[in-house]
Structures are given as structure tokens and as C-alpha cells.
């Protein structure tokens, strides 16, 4: 009988330890917003750069122009293909760069990529979003 009581007590202690702990009142739980992982890569992946951009609850992440990039994405309705960009004159040099966005923007999944003829064309088409 004693071993049954000890075993029961041990199981109850394990169950209590495994139960999720609720956050204390008044303390916000950490955001589960993953953000968007943005990359830029050179021709044949000779080089690659990447940053995380989070726009919720406020612009954040490793993006150097997070607030501006989030505002531009909001203006495009979260559609990377509809970014207004920063129109400019570019040379016809062919040095392709590929940009990609993977993750989550304002709760919606994102999986997008596009190749531009050169970095100037990329900046012209994507504005601050891929300026890192």
C-alpha cells in the first residue's frame, strides 16, 4: 500500500511539473509573430545576405529600415509583387540578383521570390524592403 501512495504522489508531482505555466496577470506573453526572412543573392548564389523583418506589434528585426519597409509592405497590401519601389534610371548591366521573402507577414504566410537584372533594378522595384 505504501508503494502505491508513493507512486501516486510521484505521478502527481510529475503531472504538475509538466503542466503549462500561465502568465502572471498584467504580463504580456511574447509575440508568436515569426516575421519574414528576406534574402538577396547574387548570380549563381555567389553571395547571399538575409535579415528578419517583423512588423507586429511594431517594426522590428535585423532590417536596418524596418519601419519604412513595413510601411511599404502595408501600402502594397502585403503583396511583394505590388511594391511601389523607388523608380530610378538603371544601366543595362547584367548582374542578376534574386530576392526572396519567406515566413509570415501580419499573420499571412509568405513565399515569394524574383530575379532582377541587377541591384539597381531590384532597388527600383522593391524600395526599402530589400535595402539591407
Amino acid at each position: 500500500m505504501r508503494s502505491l501512495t508513493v507512486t501516486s504522489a510521484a505521478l502527481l508531482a510529475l503531472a504538475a511539473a509538466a503542466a503549462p505555466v500561465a502568465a502572471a496577470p498584467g504580463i504580456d506573453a511574447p509575440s508568436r509573430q515569426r516575421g519574414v526572412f528576406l534574402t538577396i543573392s547574387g548570380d549563381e548564389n555567389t553571395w547571399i545576405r538575409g535579415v528578419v523583418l517583423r512588423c507586429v506589434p511594431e517594426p522590428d528585426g535585423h532590417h536596418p529600415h524596418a519601419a519604412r519597409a513595413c510601411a511599404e509592405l502595408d501600402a502594397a497590401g502585403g503583396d511583394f509583387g505590388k511594391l511601389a519601389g523607388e523608380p530610378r534610371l538603371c544601366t543595362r548591366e547584367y548582374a542578376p540578383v534574386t530576392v526572396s521573402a519567406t515566413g509570415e507577414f501580419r499573420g499571412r504566410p509568405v513565399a515569394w521570390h524574383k530575379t532582377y537584372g541587377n541591384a539597381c533594378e531590384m532597388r527600383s522595384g522593391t524600395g526599402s524592403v530589400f535595402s539591407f
Side-chain angles (χ1 to χ4, degrees):
M1 180 72 172
R2 177 164 164 68
S3 67
L4 180 60
T5 305
V6 171
T7 303
S8 297
L11 287 174
L12 284 172
L14 272 173
V21 178
I27 298 176
D28 293 331
S31 171
R32 294 206 177 259
Q33 171 74 11
R34 292 184 329 167
V36 182
F37 183 57
L38 305 171
T39 63
I40 305 171
S41 60
D43 191 22
E44 297 181 19
N45 292 322
T46 53
W47 56 269
I48 188 166
R49 287 191 304 257
V51 297
V52 173
L53 173 66
R54 291 184 193 90
C55 297
V56 174
E58 60 187 41
D60 186 9
H62 296 101
H63 197 292
H65 311 289
R68 197 169 357 153
C70 289
E72 290 173 9
L73 277 168
D74 284 335
D79 185 343
F80 284 78
K82 293 183 179 177
L83 288 168
E86 298 171 355
R88 61 181 73 198
L89 293 175
C90 296
T91 64
R92 296 182 69 176
E93 151 193 35
Y94 186 70
V97 292
T98 301
V99 294
S100 70
T102 307
E104 194 175 277
F105 178 73
R106 302 222 182 263
R108 293 187 311 235
V110 173
W112 180 85
H113 74 276
K114 184 172 181 176
T115 300
Y116 292 90
N118 58 46
C120 179
E121 288 178 11
M122 182 229 13
R123 283 189 298 275
S124 180
T126 64
S128 298
V129 175
F130 290 94
S131 293
F132 52 85

